[in-house]
Amino acid sequence: MNVTDTSTDDLRVGVIGLGFAGSTHLDAFTDLPGATVVALAGQEPARLEELGRSRGVPHLYADWQDLVARDDLDIVSIGVPNDLHHPIAMAALQSGKHVFCEKPLATTGDLAAEMVAEAKAADRVLEVAYNHRRRADVAFLGDFLADDPIGEIYHARASWLRRSAIPGLGSWFTSRATAGGGPLIDLGSHVLDIALHLMGEPRVVTASAVTYNELGRRGRGGGTKVPASSDGTHAFDVEDFASALLRFDTGASLLLQASWASYSKNHEDIEVELLGSTGGARLHVDDYSTEGTLTLYSDVEGVPTVARPAVHVPAGHHRTVIAGFLEAIRQGEGASAPRYTNHYGEYALHRSRVVDAIYASAAAGHEVEVEGEAL
Ligand SMILES: NC(=O)c1ccc[n+]([C@@H]2O[C@H](COP(=O)([O-])OP(=O)(O)OC[C@H]3O[C@@H](n4cnc5c(N)ncnc54)[C@H](O)[C@@H]3O)[C@@H](O)[C@H]2O)c1
């Protein structure tokens, strides 16, 4: 163990995972002030060496257990297949580390609840990478809605639809055992997060859902982007399309849809539409577009009016989440420090409960209740 790798008071970070998620975490923690990445783990030896060398990370491991066993880390950052989020987070929290975890928090709500309980017991920050919510256009909409310009939001539609982009047929993404589900848990959780955030965190009380697997099980709909750890050995036993009607404790509702592959729109299509009693708002991100994503609907002097705010969306949303995570750790030091509502991953737990209910409803063929914890 070498506790003298850095000479500053930086928070010491260990990053696990070398794919899109892990390398994005690595770059964000490396670039942001106040943190130093001292350890990196992943199972692709050449990439591990290359990332370690180019980013100046001194301690490299194949297995996450060896990284988490270090007693000089303040933070463990998790960018690995979904089924490993729970064991890694539990081990890290139990050894006193703060945790930055990729979405979904876990493959089931019960596992997510254990993680949140452990974060509370250990009083460590548990933050989840809902990076798309940090887009500048979503932040703009959030600020706009704070002034109540569209009245009561009674219905919303949120979707992330891909035409043909299953992330690696036969990869861990397409197996229920390793991923917990298909596009609903992968992409749907992002747009669910955006919608709940913009609607002021109402609680989802019931879900009525359907899921289909019409293309993936036939070996169709595969994308060109293949995950770092794709070994082609996993069965396709998750959905490739999901659609759910969610009811809130406020009486409002949300139609949520997600697909990895469907004969619908081209590319990637992200949409969140809010219907209010005096106006409406629509976020439409077409193939990761960064301009012209917002439309606002209202009446001016009784005349239907459309506005298109010119909000530019810079890249780097993970960086924004991680900057907030580092700030939460700093703010959380000391018993009198202000607490963030989502300090221990509570919002992510509710999203996991909603995903559970959607899968349960689809399996049962009728509406089901969402398990709930008080925030
Ligand atoms: N927030 C986002 O925008 C976003 C985007 C992509 C992926 N993700 C999430 O990030 C996570 C990883 O996705 P990805 O696309 O980077 O996957 P990936 O398959 O490309 O990478 C997974 C990494 O985990 C490593 N790994 C697996 N088992 C390990 C072990 N026992 N010890 C150490 N390392 C191990 C692999 O070696 C690999 O480097 C998933 O939870 C996914 O949902 C989030």
Side-chain angles (χ1 to χ4, degrees), residues 16-22 41-44 61-65 78-82 84-85 88 102-104 129-132 172-173 186 190 226-230 318:
I16 307 173
L18 311 174
F20 171 81
Q43 305 207 314
E44 297 76 32
Y61 303 96
D63 281 313
W64 66 265
Q65 284 97 336
I78 302 174
V80 296
N82 300 346
L84 290 176
H85 294 185
I88 297 175
E102 264 306 334
K103 46 50 70 174
Y130 285 117
N131 44 312
H132 293 281
W172 67 263
F173 271 102
D186 182 37
H190 276 301
V226 176
S229 57
S230 181
H318 265 94

Side-chain angles (χ1 to χ4, degrees), residues 47-369:
R47 187 159 169 77
L48 179 65
E49 284 299 325
E50 194 278 316
L51 284 174
R53 190 178 53 250
S54 58
R55 274 43 167 208
V57 183
H59 303 288
L60 306 178
Y61 303 96
D63 281 313
W64 66 265
Q65 284 97 336
D66 296 323
L67 181 145
V68 174
R70 292 184 69 90
D71 61 9
D72 63 341
L73 297 178
D74 300 297
I75 292 168
V76 167
S77 187
I78 302 174
V80 296
N82 300 346
D83 62 325
L84 290 176
H85 294 185
H86 175 268
I88 297 175
M90 295 298 279
L93 293 165
Q94 282 161 3
S95 57
K97 294 149 178 112
H98 301 280
V99 170
F100 182 72
C101 186
E102 264 306 334
K103 46 50 70 174
L105 183 51
T107 50
T108 68
D110 284 348
L111 292 173
E114 288 181 15
M115 295 158 78
V116 170
E118 193 58 50
K120 285 182 181 166
D123 193 18
R124 300 286 88 180
V125 179
L126 172 58
E127 177 62 292
V128 181
Y130 285 117
N131 44 312
H132 293 281
R133 169 219 288 223
R134 309 301 178 108
R135 292 174 55 94
D137 42 14
V138 176
F140 174 90
L141 262 190
D143 291 344
F144 172 70
L145 292 170
D147 295 335
D148 195 28
I150 68 170
E152 188 182 338
I153 300 171
Y154 55 89
H155 186 69
R157 288 191 284 265
S159 60
W160 188 328
L161 301 176
R162 285 183 180 165
R163 168 71 173 78
S164 183
I166 295 171
L169 277 162
S171 77
W172 67 263
F173 271 102
T174 65
S175 155
R176 182 163 297 280
T178 46
L184 173 71
I185 201 168
D186 182 37
L187 307 177
S189 48
H190 276 301
V191 284
L192 171 65
D193 176 67
I194 293 173
L196 293 180
H197 170 63
L198 290 175
M199 295 174 82
E201 294 296 335
R203 308 301 283 174
V204 183
V205 290
T206 62
S208 180
V210 288
T211 59
Y212 297 92
N213 175 359
E214 293 300 320
L215 303 180
R217 71 186 162 90
R218 296 185 170 94
R220 288 161 47 207
T224 49
K225 287 184 201 157
V226 176
S229 57
S230 181
D231 58 8
T233 61
H234 295 282
F236 194 109
D237 65 355
V238 295
E239 83 282 1
D240 55 24
F241 175 82
S243 183
L245 179 67
L246 307 176
R247 294 176 195 275
F248 298 115
D249 56 359
T250 56
S253 54
L254 168 68
L255 180 66
L256 175 68
Q257 295 190 319
S259 83
W260 277 338
S262 57
Y263 287 101
S264 53
K265 307 188 178 160
N266 288 328
H267 317 301
E268 306 253 358
D269 201 272
I270 298 172
E271 194 166 10
V272 176
E273 191 163 36
L274 307 173
L275 305 184
S277 52
T278 58
R282 180 176 184 244
L283 168 80
H284 180 208
V285 182
D286 182 11
D287 207 19
Y288 297 109
S289 52
T290 57
E291 310 281 345
T293 54
L294 292 175
T295 312
L296 307 176
Y297 303 96
S298 62
D299 293 315
V300 175
E301 299 294 325
V303 177
T305 303
V306 176
R308 295 209 165 77
V311 177
H312 172 69
V313 182
H317 320 123
H318 265 94
R319 187 187 158 96
T320 311
V321 192
I322 289 174
F325 169 66
L326 294 172
E327 181 61 19
I329 292 172
R330 289 189 202 101
Q331 295 272 335
E333 298 295 338
S336 62
R339 292 279 176 229
Y340 286 57
T341 6
N342 195 27
H343 208 77
Y344 306 117
E346 297 92 328
Y347 289 173
L349 168 56
H350 185 56
R351 284 130 179 82
S352 287
R353 293 294 193 198
V354 174
V355 168
D356 276 3
I358 290 172
Y359 285 133
S361 168
H366 56 72
E367 186 172 70
V368 303
E369 290 188 1

